[in-house]
């Protein structure tokens, strides 16, 4: 009986050190994926984050709804996503020259913070001083 109890305790201790995977949540209840969405008169953004083992991956969809003439002369735009506290965020560059929609592929993000504890993030669009706009994305 003591051997079975000891085996059970060891099993629980070992399983407590496992990490989250894309298929389930870990023992601390962290979700395998989170989604943030937001829109204003010019933009609609969906940002997904995925916890895969100990790695973080993301994909982002950006749709421009405003007057295309406003951004037509910009060959590319930068974006940056961060929380309101200023934790290290992530960013990238995209182009809307051929379309009003940009869809990133799923990308691994080293150094990112998994934002599963956040209700909102700030999405900043811009190309240096020529154009800059921000949008609050809310967690679904």
């Amino acid at each position: 009986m003591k051997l079975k109890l000891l085996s059970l305790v060891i099993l629980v201790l070992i399983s407590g050190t496992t990490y989250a995977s894309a298929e389930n949540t870990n023992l601390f209840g962290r979700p395998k994926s989170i989604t943030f969405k937001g829109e204003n008169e010019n933009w609609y953004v969906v940002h997904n984050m995925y916890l895969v083992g100990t790695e973080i991956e993301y994909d982002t969809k950006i749709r421009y709804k405003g007057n295309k003439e406003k951004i037509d002369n910009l060959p590319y735009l930068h974006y940056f996503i961060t929380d309101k506290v200023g934790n290290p965020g992530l960013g990238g560059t995209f182009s809307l020259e051929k379309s009003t929609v940009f869809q990133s592929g799923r990308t691994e993000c080293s150094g990112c913070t998994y934002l599963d504890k956040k209700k909102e993030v700030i999405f900043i669009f811009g190309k240096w001083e020529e154009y800059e706009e921000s949008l609050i994305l809310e967690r679904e």
Side-chain angles (χ1 to χ4, degrees):
M1 179 68 172
K2 288 184 180 184
L3 183 59
K4 287 182 181 181
L5 181 60
L6 181 62
S7 298
L8 179 60
V9 169
I10 290 172
L11 181 62
V12 168
L13 289 174
I14 291 172
S15 66
T17 62
T18 61
Y19 299 102
S21 72
E23 288 75 36
N24 57 23
T25 59
N26 67 11
L27 292 177
F28 300 108
R30 295 187 85 175
K32 63 182 179 179
S33 66
I34 53 177
T35 300
F36 293 93
K37 289 184 179 179
E39 72 180 299
N40 63 18
E41 64 279 352
N42 291 324
W43 300 97
Y44 173 74
V45 176
V46 178
H47 178 68
N48 300 298
M49 296 185 88
Y50 309 94
L51 189 58
V52 182
T54 59
E55 302 298 321
I56 299 169
E57 297 178 354
Y58 71 94
D59 64 59
T60 305
K61 180 179 182 178
I62 302 169
R63 182 169 56 96
Y64 187 67
K65 305 181 333 179
N67 180 351
K68 186 110 163 70
E69 292 174 9
K70 193 173 183 181
I71 62 166
D72 267 344
N73 62 343
L74 302 175
Y76 60 91
L77 290 163
H78 296 286
Y79 69 91
F80 186 72
I81 302 169
T82 187
D83 63 7
K84 291 183 176 183
V85 179
N87 284 321
L90 63 95
T93 302
F94 67 101
S95 173
L96 295 175
E97 285 186 309
K98 297 179 182 168
S99 174
T100 58
V101 177
F102 166 77
Q103 174 71 54
S104 76
R106 193 158 160 173
T107 305
E108 188 175 308
C109 185
S110 63
C112 292
T113 301
Y114 192 59
L115 300 171
D116 62 322
K117 305 289 186 219
K118 303 296 179 182
K119 300 222 183 277
E120 295 180 337
V121 295
I122 303 169
F123 195 96
I124 302 168
F125 304 91
K127 184 189 182 296
W128 312 119
E129 286 89 36
E130 294 176 35
Y131 177 85
E132 186 171 305
E133 188 173 347
S134 64
L135 176 63
I136 300 294
L137 305 182
E138 295 181 356
R139 184 163 169 203
E140 286 197 319

